[in-house]
Short mmCIF file of all heavy atoms in Angstrom, two decimals:
data_model
loop_
_atom_site.label_atom_id
_atom_site.label_comp_id
_atom_site.label_asym_id
_atom_site.label_seq_id
_atom_site.Cartn_x
_atom_site.Cartn_y
_atom_site.Cartn_z
N MET E 22 108.40 122.72 118.42
CA MET E 22 107.45 123.40 117.57
C MET E 22 106.39 122.38 117.08
O MET E 22 106.71 121.22 116.86
CB MET E 22 108.16 123.98 116.36
CG MET E 22 107.33 125.05 115.64
SD MET E 22 108.35 126.07 114.61
CE MET E 22 108.05 125.36 113.03
N MET E 23 105.17 122.87 117.04
CA MET E 23 104.06 122.01 116.62
C MET E 23 104.27 121.50 115.17
O MET E 23 104.63 122.28 114.29
CB MET E 23 102.75 122.83 116.69
CG MET E 23 101.54 122.12 116.09
SD MET E 23 101.02 120.58 116.90
CE MET E 23 100.62 121.15 118.54
N LYS E 24 104.10 120.21 115.00
CA LYS E 24 104.21 119.65 113.67
C LYS E 24 103.12 120.23 112.75
O LYS E 24 102.00 120.45 113.23
CB LYS E 24 104.01 118.13 113.81
CG LYS E 24 104.11 117.35 112.52
CD LYS E 24 103.69 115.91 112.72
CE LYS E 24 103.48 115.23 111.40
NZ LYS E 24 102.80 113.91 111.53
N LYS E 25 103.50 120.49 111.53
CA LYS E 25 102.52 120.94 110.54
C LYS E 25 102.20 119.81 109.57
O LYS E 25 103.09 119.07 109.19
CB LYS E 25 103.04 122.16 109.79
CG LYS E 25 103.09 123.39 110.68
CD LYS E 25 103.21 124.64 109.86
CE LYS E 25 102.97 125.88 110.69
NZ LYS E 25 103.10 127.09 109.91
N ILE E 26 100.94 119.74 109.23
CA ILE E 26 100.54 118.71 108.24
C ILE E 26 99.69 119.38 107.17
O ILE E 26 99.18 120.49 107.32
CB ILE E 26 99.84 117.53 108.87
CG1 ILE E 26 98.58 117.99 109.66
CG2 ILE E 26 100.80 116.79 109.82
CD1 ILE E 26 97.77 116.82 110.16
N ALA E 27 99.48 118.63 106.08
CA ALA E 27 98.76 119.16 104.94
C ALA E 27 97.24 119.21 105.21
O ALA E 27 96.69 118.33 105.83
CB ALA E 27 99.01 118.30 103.72
N TYR E 28 96.66 120.32 104.73
CA TYR E 28 95.23 120.45 104.77
C TYR E 28 94.77 120.86 103.37
O TYR E 28 95.34 121.78 102.76
CB TYR E 28 94.76 121.52 105.76
CG TYR E 28 93.33 121.91 105.63
CD1 TYR E 28 92.33 121.04 106.07
CD2 TYR E 28 92.97 123.09 104.96
CE1 TYR E 28 90.98 121.38 105.91
CE2 TYR E 28 91.63 123.40 104.83
CZ TYR E 28 90.64 122.56 105.27
OH TYR E 28 89.33 122.88 105.10
N VAL E 29 93.76 120.19 102.84
CA VAL E 29 93.25 120.53 101.49
C VAL E 29 91.95 121.27 101.67
O VAL E 29 90.97 120.75 102.27
CB VAL E 29 93.01 119.25 100.66
CG1 VAL E 29 92.61 119.64 99.24
CG2 VAL E 29 94.24 118.35 100.62
N ASN E 30 91.89 122.48 101.14
CA ASN E 30 90.64 123.27 101.17
C ASN E 30 89.75 122.72 100.09
O ASN E 30 90.00 122.86 98.87
CB ASN E 30 90.99 124.74 100.92
CG ASN E 30 89.72 125.62 101.00
OD1 ASN E 30 88.63 125.18 100.76
ND2 ASN E 30 89.94 126.89 101.28
N PRO E 31 88.61 122.11 100.51
CA PRO E 31 87.74 121.50 99.51
C PRO E 31 87.12 122.49 98.54
O PRO E 31 86.69 122.13 97.42
CB PRO E 31 86.65 120.80 100.33
CG PRO E 31 86.70 121.49 101.66
CD PRO E 31 88.08 122.01 101.84
N ASN E 32 87.07 123.75 98.93
CA ASN E 32 86.51 124.77 98.02
C ASN E 32 87.47 125.19 96.92
O ASN E 32 87.04 125.77 95.93
CB ASN E 32 86.08 125.99 98.84
CG ASN E 32 84.98 125.66 99.87
OD1 ASN E 32 84.06 124.97 99.58
ND2 ASN E 32 85.19 126.15 101.06
N LEU E 33 88.75 124.94 97.12
CA LEU E 33 89.73 125.28 96.10
C LEU E 33 90.15 124.11 95.30
O LEU E 33 90.70 124.24 94.19
CB LEU E 33 90.98 125.91 96.78
CG LEU E 33 90.74 127.24 97.49
CD1 LEU E 33 92.05 127.75 98.15
CD2 LEU E 33 90.26 128.31 96.50
N CYS E 34 89.95 122.90 95.81
CA CYS E 34 90.34 121.65 95.09
C CYS E 34 89.50 121.55 93.78
O CYS E 34 88.28 121.71 93.78
CB CYS E 34 90.03 120.47 95.96
SG CYS E 34 90.39 118.88 95.16
N ASP E 35 90.25 121.32 92.66
CA ASP E 35 89.51 121.19 91.36
C ASP E 35 88.98 119.79 91.11
O ASP E 35 88.40 119.51 90.09
CB ASP E 35 90.40 121.68 90.23
CG ASP E 35 91.60 120.78 89.95
OD1 ASP E 35 91.69 119.69 90.59
OD2 ASP E 35 92.45 121.12 89.11
N ARG E 36 89.24 118.90 92.05
CA ARG E 36 88.69 117.54 92.01
C ARG E 36 89.06 116.76 90.73
O ARG E 36 88.32 115.98 90.22
CB ARG E 36 87.12 117.56 92.15
CG ARG E 36 86.77 118.10 93.52
CD ARG E 36 85.36 118.68 93.60
NE ARG E 36 85.27 119.52 94.78
CZ ARG E 36 84.51 119.33 95.79
NH1 ARG E 36 83.66 118.29 95.79
NH2 ARG E 36 84.50 120.08 96.84
N SER E 37 90.25 117.06 90.27
CA SER E 37 90.74 116.37 89.09
C SER E 37 90.89 114.88 89.33
O SER E 37 91.44 114.50 90.38
CB SER E 37 92.10 116.97 88.69
OG SER E 37 92.79 116.09 87.84
N PRO E 38 90.43 114.05 88.38
CA PRO E 38 90.68 112.61 88.54
C PRO E 38 92.16 112.25 88.62
O PRO E 38 92.51 111.28 89.22
CB PRO E 38 90.06 112.04 87.26
CG PRO E 38 89.12 113.08 86.76
CD PRO E 38 89.68 114.40 87.18
N GLY E 39 93.00 113.10 88.02
CA GLY E 39 94.46 112.83 88.03
C GLY E 39 95.19 113.72 89.00
O GLY E 39 96.31 114.14 88.71
N CYS E 40 94.65 113.99 90.13
CA CYS E 40 95.24 114.91 91.13
C CYS E 40 96.75 114.66 91.27
O CYS E 40 97.21 113.63 91.72
CB CYS E 40 94.57 114.66 92.51
SG CYS E 40 95.37 115.56 93.84
N PRO E 41 97.57 115.67 90.84
CA PRO E 41 99.01 115.51 90.88
C PRO E 41 99.57 115.46 92.28
O PRO E 41 100.62 114.89 92.53
CB PRO E 41 99.53 116.73 90.10
CG PRO E 41 98.41 117.69 90.02
CD PRO E 41 97.15 116.94 90.22
N ALA E 42 98.89 116.09 93.22
CA ALA E 42 99.38 116.07 94.63
C ALA E 42 99.29 114.63 95.18
O ALA E 42 100.20 114.20 95.89
CB ALA E 42 98.53 117.03 95.48
N ILE E 43 98.25 113.92 94.83
CA ILE E 43 98.16 112.50 95.32
C ILE E 43 99.32 111.72 94.77
O ILE E 43 99.93 110.91 95.50
CB ILE E 43 96.81 111.89 94.84
CG1 ILE E 43 95.64 112.54 95.56
CG2 ILE E 43 96.86 110.35 95.03
CD1 ILE E 43 94.28 112.02 95.11
N LYS E 44 99.69 111.96 93.53
CA LYS E 44 100.78 111.18 92.90
C LYS E 44 102.11 111.49 93.56
O LYS E 44 102.97 110.61 93.65
CB LYS E 44 100.84 111.51 91.42
CG LYS E 44 99.64 110.95 90.68
CD LYS E 44 99.83 111.05 89.15
CE LYS E 44 98.58 110.61 88.43
NZ LYS E 44 98.08 111.62 87.50
N VAL E 45 102.31 112.72 93.99
CA VAL E 45 103.64 113.07 94.47
C VAL E 45 103.85 112.76 95.96
O VAL E 45 104.97 112.71 96.43
CB VAL E 45 103.90 114.59 94.17
CG1 VAL E 45 103.23 115.50 95.23
CG2 VAL E 45 105.35 114.92 94.07
N CYS E 46 102.80 112.59 96.68
CA CYS E 46 102.92 112.31 98.13
C CYS E 46 103.61 110.99 98.38
O CYS E 46 103.15 109.92 97.95
CB CYS E 46 101.54 112.28 98.79
SG CYS E 46 101.65 111.80 100.54
N PRO E 47 104.76 111.02 99.08
CA PRO E 47 105.55 109.82 99.32
C PRO E 47 104.92 108.90 100.39
O PRO E 47 105.36 107.79 100.57
CB PRO E 47 106.92 110.30 99.74
CG PRO E 47 106.70 111.69 100.22
CD PRO E 47 105.43 112.20 99.62
N SER E 48 103.93 109.41 101.12
CA SER E 48 103.38 108.67 102.25
C SER E 48 101.97 108.18 102.04
O SER E 48 101.31 107.70 102.96
CB SER E 48 103.39 109.59 103.45
OG SER E 48 104.65 110.14 103.64
N GLN E 49 101.49 108.32 100.79
CA GLN E 49 100.10 107.90 100.51
C GLN E 49 99.10 108.54 101.47
O GLN E 49 98.13 107.92 101.89
CB GLN E 49 99.93 106.39 100.49
CG GLN E 49 100.54 105.64 99.31
CD GLN E 49 102.06 105.46 99.50
OE1 GLN E 49 102.48 104.97 100.50
NE2 GLN E 49 102.81 105.86 98.49
N ALA E 50 99.40 109.77 101.82
CA ALA E 50 98.53 110.50 102.79
C ALA E 50 97.35 111.17 102.10
O ALA E 50 96.37 111.55 102.77
CB ALA E 50 99.33 111.49 103.57
N LEU E 51 97.41 111.37 100.80
CA LEU E 51 96.38 112.06 100.08
C LEU E 51 95.52 111.05 99.34
O LEU E 51 96.04 110.09 98.71
CB LEU E 51 96.95 113.07 99.11
CG LEU E 51 97.76 114.22 99.75
CD1 LEU E 51 98.43 115.04 98.69
CD2 LEU E 51 96.84 115.11 100.56
N SER E 52 94.22 111.31 99.28
CA SER E 52 93.36 110.41 98.51
C SER E 52 92.10 111.17 98.16
O SER E 52 91.81 112.26 98.70
CB SER E 52 93.01 109.20 99.38
OG SER E 52 92.28 109.58 100.53
N HIS E 53 91.36 110.65 97.23
CA HIS E 53 90.05 111.20 96.94
C HIS E 53 89.10 110.06 96.62
O HIS E 53 89.47 109.03 96.08
CB HIS E 53 90.08 112.25 95.80
CG HIS E 53 90.70 111.81 94.54
ND1 HIS E 53 90.88 112.62 93.45
CD2 HIS E 53 91.20 110.62 94.16
CE1 HIS E 53 91.44 111.96 92.46
NE2 HIS E 53 91.68 110.74 92.87
N LYS E 54 87.87 110.30 97.01
CA LYS E 54 86.85 109.26 96.80
C LYS E 54 86.15 109.50 95.48
O LYS E 54 85.87 110.66 95.11
CB LYS E 54 85.81 109.33 97.91
CG LYS E 54 86.33 108.88 99.27
CD LYS E 54 85.12 108.55 100.20
CE LYS E 54 85.58 108.37 101.61
NZ LYS E 54 85.21 109.46 102.46
N ARG E 55 85.81 108.45 94.81
CA ARG E 55 85.04 108.59 93.59
C ARG E 55 83.62 109.05 93.93
O ARG E 55 83.00 108.58 94.87
CB ARG E 55 84.99 107.20 92.94
CG ARG E 55 84.69 107.23 91.47
CD ARG E 55 84.75 105.82 90.90
NE ARG E 55 86.02 105.57 90.21
CZ ARG E 55 86.29 105.94 88.97
NH1 ARG E 55 85.40 106.62 88.28
NH2 ARG E 55 87.42 105.64 88.41
N ALA E 56 83.16 110.05 93.16
CA ALA E 56 81.80 110.61 93.42
C ALA E 56 80.83 110.22 92.34
O ALA E 56 79.64 110.39 92.48
CB ALA E 56 81.92 112.12 93.56
N GLY E 57 81.34 109.74 91.26
CA GLY E 57 80.47 109.31 90.14
C GLY E 57 81.34 108.64 89.08
O GLY E 57 82.49 108.40 89.34
N MET E 58 80.78 108.37 87.93
CA MET E 58 81.50 107.67 86.89
C MET E 58 82.83 108.36 86.54
O MET E 58 83.87 107.74 86.38
CB MET E 58 80.65 107.54 85.65
CG MET E 58 81.25 106.72 84.56
SD MET E 58 80.90 104.99 84.65
CE MET E 58 79.28 104.96 83.90
N PHE E 59 82.77 109.69 86.40
CA PHE E 59 83.98 110.44 85.97
C PHE E 59 84.36 111.52 86.95
O PHE E 59 85.12 112.42 86.60
CB PHE E 59 83.77 111.05 84.58
CG PHE E 59 83.46 110.03 83.53
CD1 PHE E 59 82.19 109.93 83.00
CD2 PHE E 59 84.43 109.18 83.12
CE1 PHE E 59 81.89 108.97 82.04
CE2 PHE E 59 84.17 108.23 82.09
CZ PHE E 59 82.90 108.11 81.58
N SER E 60 83.82 111.51 88.12
CA SER E 60 84.06 112.62 89.06
C SER E 60 84.53 112.12 90.40
O SER E 60 84.25 110.98 90.80
CB SER E 60 82.78 113.46 89.22
OG SER E 60 81.74 112.68 89.72
N TYR E 61 85.22 113.01 91.07
CA TYR E 61 85.76 112.67 92.38
C TYR E 61 85.40 113.76 93.40
O TYR E 61 85.15 114.91 93.03
CB TYR E 61 87.30 112.60 92.32
CG TYR E 61 87.80 111.32 91.73
CD1 TYR E 61 87.86 111.18 90.35
CD2 TYR E 61 88.15 110.23 92.50
CE1 TYR E 61 88.32 109.99 89.73
CE2 TYR E 61 88.56 109.07 91.95
CZ TYR E 61 88.65 108.94 90.55
OH TYR E 61 89.11 107.79 89.99
N ASP E 62 85.35 113.38 94.66
CA ASP E 62 85.25 114.38 95.71
C ASP E 62 86.61 115.08 95.84
O ASP E 62 87.57 114.64 95.26
CB ASP E 62 84.90 113.67 97.06
CG ASP E 62 83.43 113.24 97.15
OD1 ASP E 62 82.61 113.82 96.39
OD2 ASP E 62 83.12 112.36 97.93
N ALA E 63 86.61 116.11 96.62
CA ALA E 63 87.87 116.84 96.88
C ALA E 63 88.87 115.92 97.50
O ALA E 63 88.56 115.02 98.30
CB ALA E 63 87.61 118.03 97.80
N THR E 64 90.13 116.17 97.16
CA THR E 64 91.23 115.40 97.78
C THR E 64 91.30 115.69 99.27
O THR E 64 91.03 116.80 99.71
CB THR E 64 92.55 115.81 97.12
OG1 THR E 64 92.53 115.38 95.71
CG2 THR E 64 93.76 115.21 97.77
N MET E 65 91.63 114.69 100.03
CA MET E 65 91.75 114.85 101.47
C MET E 65 93.11 114.35 101.94
O MET E 65 93.65 113.38 101.40
CB MET E 65 90.66 114.02 102.20
CG MET E 65 89.27 114.58 102.06
SD MET E 65 88.02 113.51 102.73
CE MET E 65 88.56 113.33 104.38
N ALA E 66 93.64 114.94 103.00
CA ALA E 66 94.88 114.52 103.61
C ALA E 66 94.59 113.76 104.90
O ALA E 66 93.77 114.17 105.72
CB ALA E 66 95.75 115.70 103.93
N ASP E 67 95.21 112.59 105.03
CA ASP E 67 95.07 111.80 106.24
C ASP E 67 96.11 112.24 107.30
O ASP E 67 97.31 112.08 107.08
CB ASP E 67 95.27 110.33 105.90
CG ASP E 67 95.10 109.41 107.10
OD1 ASP E 67 95.16 109.87 108.26
OD2 ASP E 67 94.90 108.20 106.88
N PRO E 68 95.63 112.87 108.37
CA PRO E 68 96.58 113.41 109.35
C PRO E 68 97.43 112.33 110.01
O PRO E 68 98.51 112.63 110.54
CB PRO E 68 95.69 114.14 110.37
CG PRO E 68 94.32 113.64 110.13
CD PRO E 68 94.24 113.12 108.72
N GLU E 69 96.98 111.10 109.98
CA GLU E 69 97.75 109.98 110.58
C GLU E 69 98.93 109.62 109.69
O GLU E 69 99.98 109.17 110.15
CB GLU E 69 96.87 108.76 110.74
CG GLU E 69 95.65 108.99 111.58
CD GLU E 69 96.02 108.97 113.05
OE1 GLU E 69 96.80 108.12 113.46
OE2 GLU E 69 95.51 109.83 113.80
N LYS E 70 98.76 109.79 108.36
CA LYS E 70 99.83 109.39 107.43
C LYS E 70 100.75 110.50 107.01
O LYS E 70 101.88 110.27 106.62
CB LYS E 70 99.18 108.77 106.17
CG LYS E 70 98.44 107.44 106.38
CD LYS E 70 97.96 106.93 105.08
CE LYS E 70 97.23 105.61 105.25
NZ LYS E 70 96.49 105.23 104.03
N CYS E 71 100.24 111.74 107.05
CA CYS E 71 101.02 112.89 106.58
C CYS E 71 102.24 113.12 107.45
O CYS E 71 102.10 113.19 108.69
CB CYS E 71 100.16 114.12 106.52
SG CYS E 71 101.07 115.60 106.05
N THR E 72 103.40 113.22 106.84
CA THR E 72 104.65 113.47 107.62
C THR E 72 105.00 114.92 107.63
O THR E 72 106.00 115.32 108.27
CB THR E 72 105.81 112.67 106.99
OG1 THR E 72 106.02 113.14 105.65
CG2 THR E 72 105.52 111.19 106.99
N GLY E 73 104.27 115.79 106.89
CA GLY E 73 104.56 117.19 106.87
C GLY E 73 105.70 117.54 105.92
O GLY E 73 106.27 118.66 106.04
N CYS E 74 105.99 116.74 104.96
CA CYS E 74 107.13 116.99 104.06
C CYS E 74 106.87 118.13 103.10
O CYS E 74 107.82 118.73 102.60
CB CYS E 74 107.48 115.75 103.26
SG CYS E 74 106.27 115.39 101.99
N ALA E 75 105.63 118.50 102.91
CA ALA E 75 105.20 119.65 102.07
C ALA E 75 105.44 119.46 100.55
O ALA E 75 105.36 120.42 99.79
CB ALA E 75 105.86 120.94 102.53
N LYS E 76 105.75 118.24 100.12
CA LYS E 76 105.95 118.02 98.68
C LYS E 76 104.70 118.30 97.89
O LYS E 76 104.75 118.69 96.74
CB LYS E 76 106.41 116.58 98.42
CG LYS E 76 107.84 116.35 98.73
CD LYS E 76 108.32 115.01 98.27
CE LYS E 76 109.79 114.85 98.62
NZ LYS E 76 110.20 113.48 98.75
N CYS E 77 103.57 118.08 98.48
CA CYS E 77 102.29 118.27 97.77
C CYS E 77 102.01 119.72 97.49
O CYS E 77 101.28 120.06 96.53
CB CYS E 77 101.14 117.65 98.57
SG CYS E 77 101.04 118.30 100.26
N LEU E 78 102.57 120.65 98.25
CA LEU E 78 102.16 122.07 98.16
C LEU E 78 102.30 122.58 96.74
O LEU E 78 101.39 123.27 96.22
CB LEU E 78 103.01 122.94 99.08
CG LEU E 78 102.74 122.86 100.58
CD1 LEU E 78 103.46 123.97 101.26
CD2 LEU E 78 101.27 122.92 100.86
N ASN E 79 103.44 122.34 96.11
CA ASN E 79 103.69 122.88 94.79
C ASN E 79 103.15 122.01 93.68
O ASN E 79 103.41 122.25 92.51
CB ASN E 79 105.19 123.13 94.58
CG ASN E 79 105.72 124.20 95.49
OD1 ASN E 79 105.00 125.15 95.77
ND2 ASN E 79 106.94 124.08 95.95
N ASN E 80 102.41 120.98 94.03
CA ASN E 80 101.83 120.09 93.02
C ASN E 80 100.35 120.14 93.00
O ASN E 80 99.69 119.26 92.40
CB ASN E 80 102.33 118.67 93.29
CG ASN E 80 103.78 118.50 92.85
OD1 ASN E 80 104.06 118.28 91.68
ND2 ASN E 80 104.73 118.68 93.76
N CYS E 81 99.83 121.20 93.62
CA CYS E 81 98.35 121.40 93.55
C CYS E 81 98.10 122.64 92.62
O CYS E 81 98.45 123.75 93.01
CB CYS E 81 97.77 121.66 94.90
SG CYS E 81 96.02 122.11 94.81
N PRO E 82 97.55 122.40 91.43
CA PRO E 82 97.33 123.53 90.48
C PRO E 82 96.43 124.61 91.04
O PRO E 82 96.50 125.76 90.70
CB PRO E 82 96.71 122.86 89.30
CG PRO E 82 96.78 121.40 89.48
CD PRO E 82 97.06 121.15 90.92
N GLY E 83 95.54 124.20 91.94
CA GLY E 83 94.57 125.20 92.46
C GLY E 83 95.03 125.85 93.75
O GLY E 83 94.32 126.72 94.29
N GLY E 84 96.21 125.52 94.21
CA GLY E 84 96.68 126.09 95.46
C GLY E 84 95.79 125.77 96.66
O GLY E 84 95.63 126.57 97.57
N ALA E 85 95.22 124.58 96.60
CA ALA E 85 94.24 124.20 97.64
C ALA E 85 94.89 123.66 98.91
O ALA E 85 94.18 123.50 99.93
CB ALA E 85 93.26 123.19 97.09
N ILE E 86 96.17 123.34 98.82
CA ILE E 86 96.83 122.72 99.98
C ILE E 86 97.66 123.71 100.74
O ILE E 86 98.39 124.50 100.16
CB ILE E 86 97.74 121.54 99.51
CG1 ILE E 86 96.91 120.54 98.68
CG2 ILE E 86 98.34 120.81 100.70
CD1 ILE E 86 97.73 119.43 98.09
N LYS E 87 97.52 123.68 102.05
CA LYS E 87 98.41 124.48 102.89
C LYS E 87 98.82 123.62 104.08
O LYS E 87 98.18 122.62 104.39
CB LYS E 87 97.76 125.79 103.32
CG LYS E 87 96.52 125.61 104.13
CD LYS E 87 95.96 127.01 104.49
CE LYS E 87 94.70 126.83 105.34
NZ LYS E 87 94.12 128.11 105.76
N MET E 88 99.90 124.05 104.72
CA MET E 88 100.33 123.34 105.90
C MET E 88 99.79 124.02 107.11
O MET E 88 99.91 125.25 107.28
CB MET E 88 101.88 123.35 105.97
CG MET E 88 102.58 122.80 104.72
SD MET E 88 102.09 121.15 104.27
CE MET E 88 102.78 120.23 105.67
N ILE E 89 99.17 123.29 107.99
CA ILE E 89 98.62 123.85 109.20
C ILE E 89 99.04 123.05 110.40
O ILE E 89 99.39 121.86 110.28
CB ILE E 89 97.05 123.95 109.13
CG1 ILE E 89 96.45 122.54 109.10
CG2 ILE E 89 96.60 124.74 107.94
CD1 ILE E 89 94.93 122.57 109.28
N PRO E 90 99.07 123.67 111.60
CA PRO E 90 99.43 122.91 112.79
C PRO E 90 98.59 121.66 112.96
O PRO E 90 97.36 121.73 112.78
CB PRO E 90 99.21 123.94 113.94
CG PRO E 90 99.29 125.25 113.26
CD PRO E 90 98.72 125.06 111.87
N ALA E 91 99.23 120.58 113.29
CA ALA E 91 98.54 119.29 113.37
C ALA E 91 97.34 119.32 114.33
O ALA E 91 96.32 118.64 114.09
CB ALA E 91 99.50 118.20 113.78
N ASN E 92 97.41 120.14 115.35
CA ASN E 92 96.26 120.16 116.31
C ASN E 92 95.09 121.00 115.81
O ASN E 92 94.05 121.02 116.46
CB ASN E 92 96.76 120.68 117.68
CG ASN E 92 97.16 122.14 117.62
OD1 ASN E 92 97.34 122.71 116.58
ND2 ASN E 92 97.37 122.74 118.78
N LYS E 93 95.25 121.60 114.65
CA LYS E 93 94.13 122.38 114.08
C LYS E 93 93.34 121.56 113.06
O LYS E 93 92.32 122.01 112.54
CB LYS E 93 94.65 123.64 113.39
CG LYS E 93 95.28 124.63 114.31
CD LYS E 93 94.24 125.63 114.81
CE LYS E 93 94.85 126.86 115.42
NZ LYS E 93 95.45 126.66 116.74
N VAL E 94 93.84 120.35 112.74
CA VAL E 94 93.20 119.58 111.70
C VAL E 94 91.95 118.94 112.24
O VAL E 94 91.92 118.35 113.30
CB VAL E 94 94.12 118.46 111.19
CG1 VAL E 94 93.43 117.51 110.27
CG2 VAL E 94 95.32 119.08 110.51
N GLN E 95 90.83 119.11 111.50
CA GLN E 95 89.59 118.49 111.87
C GLN E 95 89.34 117.37 110.85
O GLN E 95 89.42 117.60 109.65
CB GLN E 95 88.47 119.47 111.85
CG GLN E 95 88.75 120.67 112.69
CD GLN E 95 87.49 121.32 113.20
OE1 GLN E 95 86.47 121.20 112.56
NE2 GLN E 95 87.57 121.99 114.33
N VAL E 96 89.04 116.22 111.32
CA VAL E 96 88.73 115.10 110.41
C VAL E 96 87.34 115.31 109.86
O VAL E 96 86.40 115.51 110.60
CB VAL E 96 88.86 113.76 111.15
CG1 VAL E 96 88.51 112.65 110.23
CG2 VAL E 96 90.26 113.62 111.71
N ARG E 97 87.29 115.32 108.52
CA ARG E 97 86.01 115.55 107.90
C ARG E 97 85.29 114.19 107.68
O ARG E 97 85.92 113.21 107.50
CB ARG E 97 86.20 116.18 106.52
CG ARG E 97 86.57 117.63 106.64
CD ARG E 97 86.55 118.27 105.30
NE ARG E 97 87.83 118.11 104.60
CZ ARG E 97 87.92 117.85 103.30
NH1 ARG E 97 86.90 117.60 102.56
NH2 ARG E 97 89.12 117.75 102.75
S1 SF4 R 102 102.95 117.12 103.33
FE1 SF4 R 102 104.06 115.36 102.39
S2 SF4 R 102 103.24 113.56 103.50
FE2 SF4 R 102 101.81 115.26 103.84
S3 SF4 R 102 100.20 115.05 102.28
FE3 SF4 R 102 101.79 116.50 101.49
S4 SF4 R 102 103.25 115.22 100.29
FE4 SF4 R 102 102.00 113.82 101.61
#
């Protein structure tokens, strides 16, 4: 079966500076870039680092993360 990995929908991400999904990921696969003094871009998942454990799913308040087949991931 095709491996599934995390995908963050940037339109649903609340861009919180304290993104709880980033904190819970055991593989440091999630990150967000600083966009200004107090703001961040949407969280992104690194398909190379994501193991598909799905721990992040229930730690996104906006429900922005879903698991999708690894071959469907487009690097933004
Ligand atoms: S599925 Fe697991 S490894 Fe992948 S981003 Fe979510 S918490 Fe990290």
Side-chain angles (χ1 to χ4, degrees):
M22 199 163 99
M23 171 63 63
K24 180 189 167 192
K25 289 196 169 181
I26 59 174
Y28 167 75
V29 186
N30 183 334
N32 299 316
L33 295 178
C34 177
D35 67 6
R36 296 159 198 242
S37 161
C40 173
I43 291 177
K44 292 191 185 125
V45 80
C46 175
S48 308
Q49 287 82 49
L51 296 172
S52 63
H53 55 183
K54 290 198 191 107
R55 201 175 259 280
M58 184 89 83
F59 300 108
S60 60
Y61 283 83
D62 284 338
T64 294
M65 288 173 57
D67 182 340
E69 302 282 317
K70 293 183 181 169
C71 178
T72 61
C74 73
K76 281 188 181 158
C77 54
L78 287 191
N79 293 327
N80 285 276
C81 174
I86 305 176
K87 62 179 179 178
M88 306 303 293
I89 65 170
N92 66 348
K93 294 269 197 285
V94 173
Q95 305 207 334
V96 178
R97 286 188 274 138

